[in-house]
Amino acid sequence: AEGSAEWKPLSAFPEFAGALRTQGAPALAAAPPASPTDWANQILAREPELRIGDCLAGGWSFLASNAGFVFATVFVVWLANAAMMFTPIVGGIVYLLLAGVFTGGLYLACLRRMRGEAVGVGSVFDGFRLCFVQLMLAGALSQLLAGIGMYLCLVPWIYLAVAWKFALPLVADKHLEFWSAMELSRKVVTRVWFKVFLLLFLVFLPFLAFQAFNAARTMSFVVNLLRDVNFDPAQAMTSLRGQAWAFMKQTMLIAVLGQGILFVNLLYAVGAVAHAYENLFGPRKS
């Protein structure tokens, strides 16, 4: 409508409702706002709502009703990210630059499907076509800054990882500039941070439990190694060199197993996170 910053399907307007009521087509997907700044101000002006129970149930219902689509799209993105991560030398840099583009495309495809739009597996690559640079910058910058926070102190890393969770969907769905999306995600999530943290903890619990087990196992290995050499650093390095090949093989096996658990976890997680995004940034039901 002229003078409005929000896009709506024609059926939402009284003058078209009668003509469209008899048509069985699904609701049109939400289009990017005409004025991203005005839309962001509207989101910030309202009180954020996150219904954890609805998001958890929505993740299962979305997977159950779109099993083939979810499996295929998650597999494509998971395989691309895993291939980048395990590529020697340049893999880490490529992952830093492209992981956000793939992940943003995955969330966009799931959101469009959730809204009733007919989308296929190829939609996960829409991030490259629609907003490649902004998704790349949002993904890379959020990883770098959160990583710095992790090395400085665990608390800033956890806060930023949760606060920026919706930056990529905001770039892909609303075509926001990368920093605007990161800031909008942070400002909205901060007001319900503990709810979002709890939701993400529950949604990614299998993968987090595996990571905690792996961290405890690694710590136990290091402590036992030091204890065997009476905590002598020089002898510990010598002993480690003797076990290097076996340790590397076991570490690689654990990494592959972790990626497998992440894939299974993502089948459910993408739907739950997409529902949370709609709770916080979608149109409110009257």
Side-chain angles (χ1 to χ4, degrees), residues 35-211:
S35 173
T37 301
D38 291 344
W39 177 81
N41 289 335
Q42 291 176 14
I43 296 297
L44 291 173
R46 72 190 193 186
E47 194 66 26
E49 294 179 3
L50 182 66
R51 299 179 292 276
I52 296 179
D54 290 348
C55 295
L56 295 175
W60 290 118
S61 62
F62 182 69
L63 174 59
S65 57
N66 302 276
F69 169 81
V70 173
F71 183 90
T73 52
V74 169
F75 179 76
V76 168
V77 174
W78 170 84
L79 183 64
N81 286 339
M84 290 184 289
M85 291 178 64
F86 286 103
T87 300
I89 303 176
V90 300
I93 298 175
V94 176
Y95 177 82
L96 178 68
L97 296 176
L98 296 185
V101 185
F102 279 106
T103 304
L106 173 62
Y107 281 121
L108 178 61
C110 291
L111 285 167
R112 291 169 61 188
R113 185 84 168 205
M114 191 177 295
R115 294 164 181 166
E117 188 175 349
V119 293
V121 178
S123 297
V124 298
F125 298 105
D126 282 352
F128 288 87
R129 177 176 59 86
L130 298 174
C131 41
F132 170 75
V133 173
Q134 297 302 323
L135 282 174
M136 180 182 67
L137 291 172
L141 189 60
S142 59
Q143 286 187 69
L144 286 173
L145 294 181
I148 293 172
M150 178 178 66
Y151 284 110
L152 292 177
C153 178
L154 188 62
V155 174
W157 171 65
I158 295 176
Y159 167 73
L160 292 175
V162 173
W164 284 335
K165 184 62 180 177
F166 303 102
L168 292 175
L170 283 169
V171 172
D173 183 39
K174 301 301 182 184
H175 295 182
L176 298 186
E177 178 263 344
F178 76 98
W179 186 250
S180 298
M182 292 170 65
E183 277 294 274
L184 180 59
S185 177
R186 183 187 64 81
K187 290 177 181 178
V188 172
V189 170
T190 297
R191 293 154 70 183
V192 286
W193 190 90
F194 286 102
K195 281 189 174 182
V196 177
F197 171 80
L198 177 60
L199 174 66
L200 295 177
F201 177 80
L202 294 174
V203 165
F204 288 99
L205 184 58
F207 181 67
L208 293 175
F210 175 80
Q211 292 291 82

